[in-house]
Each structure stands twice: as structure tokens, then as C-alpha cells.
Amino acid sequence: MRERFGATASALLDEDERAFVLLADISTGYFEGALRTHPDRVIRIGIMEQTVLSAAAGIALEGFVPIVHSIAPFIALRPIEQIRDDFLYQRLGVNIVSIGASYDYASDGYTHHAPDDVPTLMGLAGLEIIAPGTPAELEVLLRSAFADGAATYYRLSEQRNATDQDVKRGELTIIRRQPGAPLVVAVGPMLDRTLEATRDLDVSVAYATTVTPFDAATLRSLAADEPEVFVVEPWYEGALAREIVAALAPRAVRLGGIGVRRQVTIGYGSAADFDDEFGLTPAGIAARLRAFLAAG
């Protein structure tokens, strides 16, 4: 996804003179050509993400459309006040593109993990949050939201699905519809493993790449009269609970799910090691989902 992001952002610099890229010394290799072609609109500010965001706000005030980029915990959590006050409060557009979530940098330890980025950012009113599942989906969604005037957070990961879906910003993609059956919502790179986990189960499956604003209308159209919804999330478990409940109100909903366990991870290893620990594998998802369905 990072390579596709670099190519897409570089293309936007060629296509739209309002595009402006600010880097925190991360992924600079993907912008070598753009740095030569557009030295006035690609800036390497350094590893100081609060400054990157505030500088981007000033650039937005001058009529540009900024794209800022760094590792997820540094660009999502470290400058959260700048996102809130410099962009959301002033109603300025920005494209905040992260990499490394949730634990792509598993060997670097918890300081480089970000299972809490989206759960934290969902508390900011007015922020769009996008979680693509493939590089091609990232390009579609970035181009769609790039100049919409909103502050948008894109969560990129090394984990990805094998097949591109026909995604549209702000909409759930219906993968499987089983009228009256429980609904499973897979988010971003969780789709493939969710489909494998539900292969033999009588459930509907929806795919979410836009987290906020959430597509409540499609969710309501898929939910049964007595809805049962199970969410598979790539960040801390339960982040989407409020959106699901609000979408189905005033009906009561039986809600379950699986995601990253809410804990401070002390150990090191690989992303696959953490997936195994948290049950974010096809077998782990299937076990949790079957238990949820049986309890109903």
C-alpha cells in the first residue's frame, strides 16, 4: 500500500496544482521523482509530526490540499491536538496518511504499534476515517476524498486482501446477502480472513473501508428484524460498536466482534505472531463467531 500511496500522491501533484505533500522523513524514497519535479510542493519537514500538521494547516489556508504522512502512532496520536484544533475546528481539508498499523512494526515494540489510532480518532467530530484493504482500493478512496474539503485519515497496512473490491467512499460493500441471517462486518484488511472464517456459515457479509462517516443506511438494509451483528476489526476490539448501535436504533441489536485485545503489548515478534495471539486468524475469527452465534 505504501508504494501505491507514493505513486498516487505523486500523480496528484502532477494533476492538481493544489496538491502539496509534507513528509516526516518517512517513505521519502517513494517521492524522489516528485521532489525533483515539484520541489516547491513536496517538503521533508523532519520527524516532528505536530509541526508537520500545523504547517499543513497553514498551507491549507493558502488554498492548497495537503497530504501528510508518517508512521501511524506518530501521525495519528502524537499530533491529535493539531488535527482537532488546526483542521477540524477551522474546517480545513487535509489527507493524513499513515503506515504501520496495527503492528506492522511488531519487532520495534509498542512505541511503534497503533491498535489505538482509529478508536482514539473516532472521538474527533468531523474526521473522515478510511481503512482500505488493498493498494488499488487505497488509490480509489484517496482520489475520491483528496479534495473534498474534509480532514481525512487513511490507515494503511502491510496486511491486505488478495482481491480488490468495488469500493466507494462512505459506503459499505455488500459481499454476501442472506436475508434474515446474522450480519458480519469485516473492516479493511480483515475481509479475506473473514470470508474464510464464514465460508460454511449462514451469514451475510459486508465490507467496510469507510469507518466514519459510517454507512448506516446499508447496514439497516442488511440487518434482520432482530439484528445480530458481528464486527471484525483490525484495531482495538469494539471501536465500531457505537456506530452499529446508532445505525440500528431504536431496535435493540445483539452485537459481538473481534479485534486487537485492549492491552499494552510488551512482547516483540512479527505481525503474524500478534494475529495468532489475538485470534485474528481465520480459525480464531471462526471460533469467536461460532461462539457468538451459539450463545444467541
Side-chain angles (χ1 to χ4, degrees):
M1 286 191 198
R2 192 193 319 207
E3 182 176 357
R4 190 64 165 260
F5 159 63
T8 303
S10 296
L12 288 169
L13 287 164
D14 295 335
E15 298 164 12
D16 193 328
E17 62 183 13
R18 298 173 300 165
F20 203 119
V21 174
L22 300 95
L23 301 172
D25 277 356
I26 301 297
S27 302
T28 56
Y30 297 107
F31 290 93
E32 289 179 354
L35 281 161
R36 290 191 299 269
T37 306
H38 304 289
D40 56 333
R41 289 190 286 127
V42 183
I43 298 179
R44 296 174 56 173
I45 290 183
I47 303 175
M48 41 186 177
E49 285 78 7
Q50 294 101 323
T51 300
V52 170
L53 264 295
S54 287
I59 288 166
L61 285 169
E62 293 299 318
F64 292 98
V65 181
I67 301 171
V68 302
H69 174 63
S70 189
I71 299 172
F74 309 146
I75 202 67
L77 300 175
R78 182 176 293 168
I80 193 166
E81 184 178 8
Q82 282 74 28
I83 297 171
R84 177 180 180 270
D85 294 346
D86 293 353
F87 287 97
L88 298 175
Y89 179 44
Q90 298 190 89
R91 293 179 172 83
L92 295 174
V94 66
N95 299 274
I96 305 167
V97 183
S98 75
I99 56 168
S102 283
Y103 33 71
D104 288 346
Y105 292 101
S107 61
D108 290 330
Y110 187 68
T111 58
H112 284 59
H113 298 182
D116 45 356
D117 60 342
V118 166
T120 299
L121 292 174
M122 288 184 74
L124 297 181
L127 182 67
E128 295 182 340
I129 299 175
I130 290 175
T134 71
E137 292 172 6
L138 162 66
E139 178 168 358
V140 168
L141 295 165
L142 176 56
R143 286 183 172 276
S144 173
F146 163 66
D148 69 351
T152 306
Y153 177 68
Y154 307 81
R155 189 185 206 256
L156 277 56
S157 173
E158 294 297 320
Q159 298 185 328
R160 54 160 296 177
N161 303 315
T163 303
D164 302 322
Q165 301 296 326
D166 182 18
V167 298
K168 294 181 176 61
R169 180 168 58 96
E171 297 183 15
L172 286 170
T173 302
I174 300 172
I175 305 297
R176 184 195 310 160
R177 186 193 291 268
Q178 299 281 8
L183 171 63
V184 179
V185 178
V187 182
M190 296 291 105
L191 179 60
D192 277 1
R193 61 191 78 183
T194 299
L195 291 176
E196 185 174 345
T198 60
R199 183 172 47 196
D200 301 322
L201 296 176
D202 184 23
V203 296
S204 295
V205 177
Y207 177 45
T209 52
T210 300
V211 178
T212 59
F214 190 75
D215 184 4
T218 299
L219 184 77
R220 287 193 294 269
S221 75
L222 291 169
D225 291 336
E226 297 181 2
E228 295 180 286
V229 180
F230 187 90
V231 185
V232 185
E233 300 173 275
W235 40 69
Y236 278 156
E237 180 179 320
L240 273 173
R242 185 182 66 84
E243 303 294 332
I244 302 292
V245 171
L248 296 175
R251 288 184 291 169
V253 55
R254 184 168 173 268
L255 181 61
I258 187 170
V260 178
R261 192 179 306 133
R262 288 178 177 265
Q263 67 180 51
V264 175
T265 52
I266 303 301
Y268 297 80
S270 67
D273 292 332
F274 284 105
D275 282 343
D276 288 339
E277 178 180 348
F278 299 133
L280 288 172
T281 62
I285 294 167
R288 181 79 74 90
L289 176 56
R290 288 179 183 275
F292 170 76
L293 296 174

